[in-house]
Amino acid sequence: MWAVGCVLAEILLKRPLFTGSSEIEQLSEVFKVLGVATEERWPGYSNLPFVSSFSWKTQERNRLRDKFPGVGFGVTTTTPLTNMGYDLLNGLFALDPKQRISANRAAEHAYFAESPAPTSRQRMPKFPSRD
């Protein structure tokens, strides 16, 4: 589900959200946006292998909303995201895998029922098959 969140974020931003060039840089990028993992936010985190080997800059606050400003009067960004969209993305990016939204819950999320509704299948463009 984490990967689904990465793909959704990249579609919305038109670029990757997390751009680390190594595993450590990638974790640093994740923590810059979502806040550092703590026992409070992810019970059992401190027991994971090698966690004590690293010291992360303290970033307690989740800054995901900063990357995806809300939709509303005066918003001029190219990637506004409704509150429901933000809720879905935040659920996909829960640091604790046990708290991360499931595929079934994500597919039924209210974000997908927001206006504008998707185009009906009958109105979708048709392309010849390459059989």
Side-chain angles (χ1 to χ4, degrees), residues 7-122:
V7 170
L8 178 58
E10 189 164 337
I11 289 169
L12 294 168
L13 289 173
K14 300 178 185 97
R15 62 178 172 73
L17 177 60
F18 307 119
T19 58
S21 59
S22 69
E23 291 174 351
I24 301 305
E25 276 187 32
Q26 191 72 358
L27 282 172
S28 180
E29 291 294 312
V30 167
F31 292 158
K32 280 181 197 174
V33 174
L34 302 177
V36 175
T38 63
E39 275 299 311
E40 183 178 89
R41 295 179 72 205
W42 183 353
Y45 167 76
S46 62
N47 297 326
L48 294 173
F50 307 110
V51 165
S52 61
S53 303
F54 299 98
S55 177
W56 306 103
K57 289 183 182 177
T58 303
Q59 166 57 28
E60 305 264 335
R61 184 171 81 84
N62 180 321
R63 301 177 63 95
L64 187 62
R65 188 43 125 175
D66 297 347
K67 298 286 185 179
F68 299 93
V71 176
F73 182 75
V75 174
T76 59
T77 181
T78 58
T79 51
L81 190 61
T82 64
N83 287 336
M84 284 292 99
Y86 173 74
D87 183 72
L88 173 62
L89 201 55
N90 216 25
L92 292 166
F93 284 139
L95 293 176
D96 182 355
K98 292 178 184 173
Q99 294 177 16
R100 203 166 295 145
I101 193 169
S102 69
N104 287 336
R105 283 188 49 223
E108 295 171 0
H109 197 278
Y111 174 64
F112 297 114
E114 287 185 322
S115 189
T119 300
S120 67
R121 286 186 180 251
Q122 294 78 16

